[in-house]
Amino acid sequence: MTAVEPMPRIGVLGTGAYVPDRIVTNAEVAAPAGVDDAWIRRKTTIRERRWADSDQATSDLAAEAGRMALAAAGITAADLSTIVVATSTPDRPQPPTAAYVQQLLGANAAAFDINAVCSGFVFASAVAHPLVRASGGYGLVIGADVYSRILDPRDRKTVVLFGDGAGAVVLGPVSGGGIRECRLHTFGQMSELISVPAGGSRLPSSPHTHAAGLQHFTMDGRGVREFVETTLPELVKQFLYDCNVSPHEIGHVVPHQANGVMLDDTIPELGLHTAHVHRTVGEYGNTGAASIPITLDRAAAGGALRTGDLILLIGFGGGMSVGLALIEWSS
């Protein structure tokens, strides 16, 4: 009987990130929202964020991050078999933003989008992982959002939080380590906590919806905080238990950069007291699906990640959704 070769391990071969040049200070967003810099820092720890120029779309940011990840991995776009873009602010309702990214990169890969809002990057990685493993090739996973286009400048609950950006990883065969496990959760009964009410088949855009401001991103901040604080700790602890990993074995935590104060309150409840928690929220704000890969890239580029380190990615966002990934660093 012919021996069956084991499927290759798939890990992160390279990371990349891109944020727009335009720096938006707290002072700029504070006045229309009726707050000030001190209020924003006290409520969020955010100092500034980046917003895209008028001629930049989500695909432009995504492609830039993708190019950087490809260069870091030492491969070209021609080597890719799969491109997955996680975004809830696509260039257009259709075609998928990933199709534009494929074109911008000059790739010849299957390309599609995933929308799990701020958990999107982990969801996209979980979907891309088996595809790359089966193909034996390389995959490009990108989280990218341009939230500045859907914010109400008068809504202090949202406009002070969000920035624009993109982060990417190249997935491919590794000799050791790699993505150990992913787990995805959706709590549809809480889907109204975060939404953009108009623009879909339920409520198409019209002069009426525009006049009512229904094209803007809305969030029940109190409800989101309660969901995160009550749901996330148990999900993380159960995930690590099922992975047969003790909390003290986790070297790094890369959480969604939702709000600095929320992270301050929630991270200690996860029981990961010896892990280094990586943060970019103060500099870039909440960049949606881009926040985890941007933060992972900053950690990798800064030399913080070493071969064999265990990294826990924690995504949470609209849906409500939670995505968890355990990675053994392999580059």
Side-chain angles (χ1 to χ4, degrees):
M1 180 179 295
T2 303
V4 178
E5 292 189 7
M7 295 288 281
R9 294 181 178 182
I10 301 300
V12 175
L13 302 181
T15 68
Y18 174 80
V19 292
D21 292 334
R22 180 188 171 193
I23 297 175
V24 178
T25 65
N26 283 345
E28 183 173 343
V29 297
V35 296
D36 58 20
D37 172 75
W39 186 92
I40 295 172
R41 289 176 183 251
R42 185 173 71 253
K43 295 287 188 177
T44 70
T45 76
I46 295 170
R47 302 183 301 276
E48 60 188 31
R49 72 286 293 145
R50 305 294 183 96
W51 282 1
D53 289 336
S54 60
D55 62 347
Q56 287 182 306
T58 297
S59 62
D60 298 311
L61 277 59
E64 287 294 337
R67 291 187 185 102
M68 294 179 184
L70 289 169
I75 67 170
T76 69
D79 297 315
L80 295 172
S81 60
T82 306
I83 299 173
V84 186
V85 174
T87 185
S88 55
T89 58
D91 284 23
R92 297 172 176 169
Q94 56 177 282
T97 297
Y100 296 119
V101 174
Q102 184 216 52
Q103 180 186 27
L104 288 168
L105 294 178
N108 184 26
F112 59 94
D113 292 357
I114 281 180
N115 180 1
V117 197
C118 297
S119 298
F121 178 76
V122 180
F123 274 63
S125 299
V127 170
H129 176 245
L131 295 177
V132 173
R133 194 176 188 186
S135 73
Y138 301 94
L140 180 63
V141 181
I142 306 173
D145 273 309
V146 179
Y147 266 90
S148 61
R149 301 283 162 75
I150 59 172
L151 297 175
D152 181 349
R154 300 163 299 178
D155 182 6
R156 67 181 187 180
K157 297 191 302 293
T158 59
V159 72
V160 305
L161 286 172
F162 288 90
D164 303 335
V169 300
V170 171
L171 300 182
V174 293
S175 57
I179 298 176
R180 286 197 183 183
E181 189 66 60
C182 297
R183 184 158 299 170
L184 312 176
H185 304 270
T186 301
F187 301 84
Q189 70 273 23
M190 299 180 181
S191 59
E192 295 304 313
L193 291 179
I194 294 175
S195 72
V196 177
S201 61
R202 178 69 63 189
L203 185 61
S205 296
S206 68
H208 168 72
T209 62
H210 189 80
L214 299 179
Q215 76 278 15
H216 291 136
F217 176 88
T218 66
M219 181 174 66
D220 178 348
R222 189 182 301 272
V224 170
R225 174 179 286 275
E226 182 178 343
F227 167 80
V228 172
E229 291 179 350
T230 60
T231 305
L232 198 61
E234 288 308 312
L235 291 181
V236 168
K237 292 172 184 177
Q238 186 64 50
F239 177 64
L240 294 181
Y241 177 83
D242 293 343
C243 292
N244 197 28
V245 171
S246 298
H248 72 268
E249 295 181 78
I250 301 298
H252 306 270
V253 177
V254 182
H256 168 49
Q257 307 289 299
N259 175 318
V261 173
M262 182 186 293
L263 293 180
D264 289 341
D265 293 342
T266 304
I267 294 298
E269 301 304 315
L270 305 182
L272 305 171
H273 305 301
T274 59
H276 179 77
V277 180
H278 296 271
R279 295 171 59 143
T280 55
V281 65
E283 184 178 3
Y284 300 130
N286 180 341
T287 53
S291 79
I292 288 177
I294 286 175
T295 307
L296 182 66
D297 175 70
R298 293 296 180 259
L305 308 180
R306 305 294 180 89
T307 299
D309 284 355
L310 287 184
I311 305 165
L312 179 63
L313 308 185
I314 305 176
F316 50 91
M320 295 295 289
S321 59
V322 173
L324 305 171
L326 181 65
I327 300 174
E328 183 180 340
W329 198 246
S330 51
S331 62

